[in-house]
Amino acid sequence: MTSTAQAAGRSPVRRLAGTLHRRPRLRLSLLLIAPLLWLAVLYLGSLAVLFVSAFWTTNSFTSEVVKVWSTDNFHALFTTPVFRQVILRSIGVALAVTALSAVIAFPVAFYTARVAKPRWRPLLVVAILTPLWASYLVKVYAWRLILSQGGFADWMLKPFGLSGPGFGLFATIIALTYLWLPYMILPIHTALEQLPANLLDASADLGARAGRTFRSVVVPMVLPSVAAGSVFTFSLSLGDYITVQIVGGKTQLIGNLVYSNIELNLPMAAALGTVPVVVIVLYLLAMRRTGALSSL
Amino acid sequence: MQLSRSARIALRVAAGVGFAFIYVPLALVLVNSFNPDRSASWPPSGLTFRWWSVAWENEGARAALWVSVKAGLGATAIALVLGTLIAFAVARHRFFGRDAISFVVVLPIALPGIVTGIALNSAFSTVLEPLGVGLGLFTVIVGHATFCIVVVFNNVVARLRRTSGSYEEAAMDLGADTFRAFADVTFPLVRSALLAGGLLAFALSFDEIVVTTFTAGPGIETLPIWIFNNMTRPQQAPVVNVVAAVLVLLSVLPIYAAQRLSADTASGSRV
C-alpha cells in the first residue's frame, strides 16, 4: 500500500490507478457502463418496444401503426384457424426435430464415448463435430441438392421404384435435424463419457444384463443431457424460417408468418413473435424439472 | 458394461449411419461444385473446374464476401471490448443484478433470430433514421455485435474463473499498479481466450443471415444473403455451388482453431 501512496504523487496515470484500486465500485461502474448501455438500452429497449407494439394496431388502409392499446392481435392469434394451425405445426416440427436428433445422436455418441477404442475417441469427436459447424446456409443448401428433382435422394431410391420426398414438411424436419444435431450429440457424448464405470460394473455384479443396465442405469443418468440438448434443438427449430423457405415448399411455420407480416402489419408480427418466445420459456421451465438447465 | 457381440455390431452400424448422415450432404456440396451441368441432378455427367474460375470472377460474390469480412471484423471488435468488460465485471466483482447480466448477454442468441431482428429493425428505423443514419453496414455491425458479445463473454469468463485473482494481487504487492498488473499479468492469462472468442464471434457473424436481413439497408449484401438471393436462380447455380463448397472448407477453420486455442470453450458457435 505504501508504494501506491508514494506513487500517487508521481504521474496522473499512477494516481488514476491508485484511485481505481481504492474504489472497487468506481471500477465496476466503469466496466459496466458501456456494455449496459448497449445491451440494456439498445437491445432490451428495442425488445420492450417490440412487445409493447404487439398491443398496437394498424390502419388497414394505410398500414400505418396506430398506437392505441388493444388486445386485438392476441385475440386474432387464438381465434384465427390458420394461426392456430401454423402454431401447432411449428411446435410439432420442433418436437419432431428434437426426437429425431436424439435418435440419431444417441448411437453416435454411445459409439464415440464407450465403444470405440479410447485413443480414437477424441479424434472421432472432432470428426463428428467439426463438419457440423459448417455454414448454416450451406447445410440447408446441401439438403436442397439432395431432395431436388432428379437429385441424390431420387437416385438412391430409384432402384426400389420410389422417388425422394421432395420439398415440404418432411424436408424441413430433416434439414433442421441436420442443422441442430451437434447441440444434441455434444451433451450426450459428455454425459456418456463421464458415466462412472463402477456403476456399470455394480449393475452387472447384481446380475443385470446389458439391456437392463442400459434401461436402469445409463438412460436415467443421460436423460438430463438429452433434455439440455433438446432446449437448443427445440428453440432453434421453433424460430426458424429460412430453412422452411429453402426446402419447405409451401409449408408455413410461425417464423414465416412473422416474416410475412413485418412489412404490412408490424404489431401483428410482434404479437406472432411473442408466441415462440412464450413457448420456449414454457419449454425451459418444463426442462428445468429434469435438471437439464444445470448441465447446459 | 459388457455389451454382447450383436449389440456392439448394431451400435457400430448405427454410428456408421450417423457418420454417413453427417458427411454425405457436405460431400455432395463439394462434388456438385465440379458438376458441368446447371441442374442439381445426380450423378453429375462429368467433372469440371470451369465454374471455380467463373465463380472467382463473379463480382457479386466477391463484393458480398468483402461486406461479410468488414461486418465480421467490426462486430468482432465491438464484441471483444464489451464481452471482456462484462466478463471482468461478472467474474471479479459481486454486485446486485450479476445473474441478470449473465442472462441478458445470452438473450440475443437464445431468442429466435427473427425476434432479435425485428426488434433491432424497428429500433433503428424509429431512433436512428430521424438522426440521418439509415440502415446499412453500420447497423449490420451493431446487430451482429449484439449477439457476438455472448461468445466472447463465455470464453473470457470461463478463463477468469479458472485463474484466481491472486496473481494480480501478487503483482500489486510487488508494486505494480492496476494498469501494470493488467498488462503484465491479467492480459497474458486471458489472451488465448480472447483470441478464441474473437474467432468464434467472427464465424458467428460471418454465418448470420436472419439478423442481417433485418438490419441491412437495400444496398448491403453479405455472403449468406448473396447465397440466399441466388440459390433459387438457375442461372447462378454453378457459382452458388462453388461458393457453398468454399464455405464448407473455410467455415470449419476458425472453429477448429478456436477449439485448439482454448480447452474451456464449449466448442459451440452459438453457445
Side-chain angles (χ1 to χ4, degrees):
Chain A
M1 268 298 110
T2 47
S3 64
T4 359
Q6 284 165 1
R10 257 185 259 153
S11 75
V13 175
R14 290 211 49 127
R15 215 174 310 150
L16 180 63
T19 316
L20 280 177
H21 182 73
R22 280 187 302 274
R23 295 188 181 172
R25 287 271 139 201
L26 176 67
R27 217 161 22 157
L28 181 62
S29 10
L30 285 177
L31 281 176
L32 280 178
I33 191 158
L36 277 189
L37 276 177
W38 191 285
L39 284 171
V41 178
L42 182 128
Y43 185 63
L44 289 186
S46 27
L47 266 188
V49 173
L50 180 72
F51 288 133
V52 169
S53 75
F55 293 95
W56 294 338
T57 46
T58 48
N59 183 314
S60 50
F61 290 106
T62 58
S63 292
E64 288 279 309
V65 175
V66 184
K67 294 181 182 173
V68 179
W69 186 270
S70 88
T71 50
D72 289 358
N73 294 327
F74 288 98
H75 188 70
L77 210 61
F78 289 112
T79 52
T80 315
V82 180
F83 287 163
R84 261 203 318 232
Q85 263 173 20
V86 171
I87 290 168
L88 288 178
R89 188 186 300 135
S90 305
I91 295 174
V93 166
L95 289 175
V97 170
T98 302
L100 202 55
S101 305
V103 168
I104 297 172
F106 202 90
V108 173
F110 203 93
Y111 179 75
T112 56
R114 302 218 74 107
V115 179
K117 289 200 176 72
R119 73 194 158 97
W120 287 107
R121 287 175 193 172
L123 206 68
L124 283 171
V125 176
V126 173
I128 296 172
L129 293 177
T130 309
L132 286 176
W133 298 121
S135 160
Y136 168 98
L137 264 185
V138 171
K139 285 194 274 186
V140 186
Y141 184 60
W143 284 98
R144 195 179 164 83
L145 291 180
I146 291 174
L147 298 171
S148 66
Q149 214 171 12
F152 188 74
D154 280 349
W155 178 76
M156 285 279 282
L157 292 168
K158 211 171 173 185
F160 307 103
L162 300 165
S163 61
F167 301 148
L169 195 61
F170 180 76
T172 307
I173 294 173
I174 287 279
L176 288 173
T177 303
Y178 190 69
L179 282 169
W180 315 135
L181 196 58
Y183 296 97
M184 194 57 104
I185 294 182
L186 199 63
I188 298 183
H189 172 89
T190 312
L192 284 170
E193 201 178 32
Q194 288 167 351
L195 208 65
N198 52 13
L199 272 184
L200 303 178
D201 293 341
S203 174
D205 284 349
L206 292 167
R209 289 167 190 274
R212 181 66 206 256
T213 306
F214 184 77
R215 271 202 313 278
S216 305
V217 182
V218 178
V219 168
M221 292 198 69
V222 175
L223 219 51
S225 307
V226 178
S230 81
V231 168
F232 292 105
T233 55
F234 182 84
S235 60
L236 291 170
S237 308
L238 201 61
D240 190 275
Y241 72 97
I242 302 270
T243 299
V244 193
Q245 284 189 12
I246 297 174
V247 295
K250 290 196 175 95
T251 311
Q252 286 262 8
L253 293 187
I254 184 87
N256 305 79
L257 278 189
V258 178
Y259 186 73
S260 58
N261 271 288
I262 284 167
E263 291 291 320
L264 285 176
N265 192 344
L266 187 69
M268 193 66 227
L272 285 164
T274 58
V275 174
V277 175
V278 169
V279 174
I280 289 167
V281 169
L282 290 176
Y283 192 80
L284 277 172
L285 289 175
M287 286 301 117
R288 198 169 64 173
R289 291 168 167 271
T290 66
L293 300 187
S294 53
S295 51
L296 275 185
Chain B
M1 186 161 61
Q2 282 302 319
L3 289 171
S4 66
R5 213 179 118 76
S6 54
R8 278 176 178 275
I9 292 172
L11 268 172
R12 284 223 165 82
V13 171
V17 171
F19 271 99
F21 180 67
I22 292 167
Y23 273 94
V24 167
L26 294 177
L28 284 176
V29 171
L30 290 179
V31 173
N32 203 53
S33 69
F34 301 106
N35 187 346
D37 307 329
R38 283 177 192 277
S39 76
S41 63
W42 189 267
S45 56
L47 294 176
T48 173
F49 276 99
R50 188 177 144 223
W51 302 123
W52 281 71
S53 55
V54 171
W56 179 249
E57 300 293 326
N58 187 294
E59 290 295 327
R62 268 193 193 182
L65 172 70
W66 184 228
V67 172
S68 273
V69 169
K70 280 195 282 193
L73 289 177
T76 305
I78 295 172
L80 276 174
V81 173
L82 297 181
T84 311
L85 287 172
I86 309 176
F88 269 91
V90 166
R92 291 283 192 258
H93 295 263
R94 326 218 134 255
F95 56 93
F96 176 75
R98 201 169 65 132
D99 292 336
I101 287 188
S102 316
F103 176 72
V104 172
V105 173
V106 189
L107 211 55
I109 215 144
L111 290 184
I114 193 164
V115 175
T116 298
I118 47 175
L120 289 175
N121 178 286
S122 52
F124 288 150
S125 44
T126 44
V127 178
L128 282 182
E129 259 164 36
L131 297 173
V133 186
L135 296 180
L137 183 62
F138 173 72
T139 47
V140 171
I141 291 175
V142 172
H144 284 196
T146 305
F147 62 77
C148 284
I149 293 174
V150 63
V151 288
V152 176
F153 169 78
N154 276 348
N155 274 276
V156 177
V157 97
R159 180 63 52 87
L160 286 175
R161 286 203 176 119
R162 284 194 316 161
T163 56
S164 74
S166 52
Y167 294 113
E168 289 136 59
E169 283 165 19
M172 289 185 168
D173 280 348
L174 293 168
D177 64 38
T178 307
F179 302 125
R180 188 71 201 237
F182 179 83
D184 287 354
V185 179
T186 318
F187 183 70
L189 279 174
V190 298
R191 192 167 38 201
S192 66
L194 280 175
L195 200 53
L199 278 169
L200 289 172
F202 186 83
L204 196 56
S205 157
F206 200 78
D207 197 27
E208 174 59 43
I209 175 160
V210 176
V211 174
T212 321
T213 308
F214 293 107
T215 50
I220 296 294
E221 204 175 41
T222 61
L223 202 55
I225 302 273
W226 183 89
I227 297 178
F228 186 63
N229 289 341
N230 287 284
M231 203 182 269
T232 47
R233 293 180 191 159
Q235 201 57 29
Q236 290 282 25
V239 180
V240 173
N241 286 338
V242 176
V243 174
V246 171
L247 278 182
V248 169
L249 299 174
L250 277 188
S251 54
V252 293
L253 288 179
I255 305 296
Y256 181 73
Q259 276 175 338
R260 293 296 301 272
L261 273 170
S262 122
D264 44 30
T265 309
S267 77
S269 62
R270 274 174 188 270
V271 266

